[in-house]
Amino acid sequence: GEQQWSLNFGDEKQIPDLLLALSSSGATDISLDLTTLEAVFLKTGEDDFDEGNEGEDGNSEVGSREPDNIDTSADHDIEDGHGIEEQQARIWERRATISPISYMRKYRIVEHFVRTNAFKMKGSIFLNISMPMLYMIVGLVVVSLIPISTEGETITNPPIKVSTPWTAGEFFGVDSLPNNSISPLQPVSQPLDIASYFDSYLPAIGGHFAENLTLSYAPNVDNFALQFGASVVANYSTWLGNSPILNDGIATSVQQLPYVTDSPFRFDLLFLPMMLSFGFAGLAFTVLDVLLLKGNNIVELFRVGGITEWTTYLGVTGYKLYTTFAPFFIVAIILGLALKSVLFGNCGRWLGTILIMFGYAYSSTPIGLILAKRFIKGDYKEVANWFPGVYFTFVALPYVAWSSALQAVPSAQDVILIVGDILCIIPFFAFQRGLGGVIFVSTEFNDGNLSWEDVWAFDTRIWYTILVMVAVGSMEWLFLYRLTSRREPKTKLTGDEVAEFGTPRDVSHDPDVVEERERSRKDDEGINARDVVKAFAIQKKTKKGAGLGWGNKKERVIKAAAKGVSFGVRTNEIYALLGPNGAGKSTIMNSLASQLTPEYGEISLGGIVCSESDLHTDHLYHDGNVSFCPQFDALFLKKTVDEHVKFYAAIRGLDWGADATQEHLNAIMKLLELEEHRTK
């Protein structure tokens, strides 16, 4: 008899074993049929058509239930008899008015979309708002509670009364001295030379040379020899007059002169600038927002929708400024004034602080964008785990180390200041140093002895840090603009590699390919790819010196993904690009969407041409007439179906409130059976 078996998708590896088992069992006339993707589509469409007819005939309830809270008034005419033709017309005919979108409108669309999506993500509010706000408040409050002193303490030691411990001692240059138990100094003759100074039985504490009016003393004999000698000479005339004042002998006292200690360590110069820099950390976390957009391939979808990558990055910046800078800026001013922080003191200190904060926002925001665009290749979740810790460490350590060294090593102050001037090219450091300069000027909120000249002198470095942040920030924004407005770089090929992999293949021997090539060159309308060549350079590990322990070696290998592809698609045509895995289908589509830059060839979309030598491709999609559906899900996981539709309707220039727009979108929702999922 005849028997049939079928295997599910994914079980293809069992086919050889099944055929072998059938052959071993003596089966004859064995045939193997593989179901094509086309057959699956046709069968699915036939089933859907049959179910739809059953629903219209009342034999089935499939699709008959209307979702809750959905306005279906626009669909009454379809249900009342206009049928599938009207539904198709609402989908494909251009009934809704499409209005050109201004640049500012595109910017606002992106900013609103990114902001609302970010607020729905777990931990986003804490990381970008709550935690930085806590840092800033703690910094201002703690410093306001700690008394700050700018001058060292004056030290005054009490006098020490001393007398010689010797039972007897010699002193020359005087005729007589009171002889008592307190200071039994013996007058002796002046020694003739140094050697005779120590020949006598009693050691000489000191003496007076009358001829040159000098005092000699021997500290090796007595620690206070100088003091005793000075006392003898000073009071010698009193002794000669038999004054009773010194009847008790010679006594003196030692007292250290009052002195001022070094300036105390200024804790506020370290702590407050560091905490405020932590408070504005949300500006640097733009790196995470951009990585989220890139990971979901939203940047590419924005581009083909007419929103350039530069505009997308500005939208992310706007969202950060509105949510992490503006509120923090206002809170810092209000809290600073309430606590009478010196940051907002008189004589222009308040102005310096405000300008420093603006300069920091201007210069620090593009850093995160540049990192996400050029240097950090990980996905959002991976980078979110390590970036905040690395950021806070990098922000704090340079300034804390520099400020500590400046206070701890005053002898090297000039060198340390020069190092600080150089480090100001880092916006995080310049921000903290500028605030440190404001704090250093005075510890009083309203200092009557202070002047504008004192605050804005070069020694404070306030205007210097502001100027450096503006200059560095301008260079960063220019660099970011070049990164986001230019095409991705081509694969670097050598001369020989260009000849082999960077030029289109000769297709003159294939008439069908030649015909398609000529079709792509007929005009610039529609979608055209002309002699597109794309190659990739990969590093392939190869074994070298097997058995000798030499290990693996990486070898540069060039893979030709597209070797001169040409095709043309005209208005109202459905064009299928077929080929096995690795044939270059995705490469061609990504080249059309400007995700890749071909080594050779050109593309045209809707009458606009771009060759491989053009540095920019944004003009291809400026009018928003191009749609691109990648082979992966490009969705914001926190956005509902309606929010996605509303966003893309906005970037296409559709008026969301217009009846024609709603009829168009409702017809699409009905066709795709998404009505009950619109709020999910």
Side-chain angles (χ1 to χ4, degrees), residues 121-197:
M121 298 190 64
K122 183 179 180 180
S124 176
I125 295 179
F126 173 78
L127 181 64
N128 290 280
I129 299 178
S130 302
M131 181 179 65
M133 183 71 75
L134 181 62
Y135 279 126
M136 183 179 64
I137 294 175
V138 169
L140 289 170
V141 172
V142 169
V143 171
S144 68
L145 297 176
I146 298 177
I148 304 298
S149 177
T150 60
E151 297 180 355
E153 182 183 1
T154 301
I155 304 298
T156 303
N157 291 317
I160 303 174
K161 188 175 182 179
V162 297
S163 60
T164 178
W166 296 87
T167 57
E170 297 178 346
F171 195 89
F172 59 84
V174 295
D175 295 335
S176 63
L177 290 171
N179 188 9
N180 55 54
S181 60
I182 297 179
S183 276
L185 297 181
Q186 301 295 327
V188 296
S189 59
Q190 180 175 315
L192 301 177
D193 52 37
I194 297 298
S196 62
Y197 189 84

Side-chain angles (χ1 to χ4, degrees), residues 524-666:
D524 296 330
E525 299 302 320
I527 304 172
N528 299 282
R530 298 164 182 161
D531 297 332
V532 175
V533 176
K534 183 59 188 176
F536 297 96
I538 60 176
Q539 297 294 327
K540 185 178 180 181
K541 291 184 177 181
T542 59
K543 292 185 177 180
K544 184 177 182 181
L548 300 178
W550 291 357
N552 297 330
K553 179 182 178 182
K554 289 185 178 181
E555 179 182 0
R556 175 183 165 91
V557 178
I558 305 299
K559 174 179 173 55
K563 306 174 183 179
V565 176
S566 298
F567 62 83
V569 185
R570 295 297 173 264
T571 303
N572 295 329
E573 287 186 349
I574 298 176
Y575 191 95
L577 191 63
L578 303 178
N581 291 340
K585 303 183 299 297
S586 299
T587 299
I588 293 299
M589 296 305 296
N590 290 336
S591 297
L592 291 172
S594 293
Q595 295 184 38
L596 299 174
T597 301
E599 272 62 64
Y600 187 90
E602 64 182 24
I603 60 176
S604 70
L605 300 174
I608 304 175
V609 182
C610 182
S611 67
E612 82 277 357
S613 60
D614 291 335
L615 297 177
H616 310 277
T617 61
D618 292 337
H619 60 286
L620 288 172
Y621 321 102
H622 180 268
D623 295 332
N625 294 327
V626 179
S627 296
F628 176 61
C629 182
Q631 60 184 13
F632 43 76
D633 292 335
L635 303 172
F636 282 101
L637 300 181
K638 301 297 180 179
K639 289 290 187 180
T640 65
V641 173
D642 256 348
E643 287 172 333
H644 277 84
V645 173
K646 187 173 183 179
F647 172 77
Y648 285 108
I651 66 175
R652 298 297 179 184
L654 295 174
D655 182 4
W656 180 260
D659 291 340
T661 300
Q662 289 300 314
E663 291 175 0
H664 170 66
L665 298 177
N666 289 336

Side-chain angles (χ1 to χ4, degrees), residues 65-71 120 636-646 656 662 666 669 673-680:
R65 179 180 178 273
E66 294 292 346
D68 297 336
N69 301 323
I70 299 298
D71 182 11
K120 291 183 178 181
F636 282 101
L637 300 181
K638 301 297 180 179
K639 289 290 187 180
T640 65
V641 173
D642 256 348
E643 287 172 333
H644 277 84
V645 173
K646 187 173 183 179
W656 180 260
Q662 289 300 314
N666 289 336
M669 291 289 187
E673 299 182 356
L674 289 175
E675 293 170 302
E676 61 180 315
H677 306 291
R678 296 184 69 158
T679 58
K680 298 180 181 178

Side-chain angles (χ1 to χ4, degrees), residues 345-347 349 442-452 454:
N346 62 332
C347 295
R349 286 178 289 172
S442 175
T443 58
E444 298 181 15
F445 176 73
N446 189 11
D447 192 343
N449 297 322
L450 204 61
S451 65
W452 281 75
D454 298 330

Side-chain angles (χ1 to χ4, degrees), residues 242-258:
N242 295 321
S243 172
I245 298 177
L246 297 176
N247 286 338
D248 290 335
I250 300 174
T252 188
S253 63
V254 177
Q255 182 177 10
Q256 186 179 12
L257 292 175

Side-chain angles (χ1 to χ4, degrees), residues 18 69 123 164 172 194 235 293 329 427-428 486 490 576 593-594 649 677:
L18 178 61
N69 301 323
T164 178
F172 59 84
I194 297 298
N235 297 285
L293 294 177
F329 177 77
F428 314 116
R486 293 193 172 191
K490 299 180 182 179
S594 293
H677 306 291

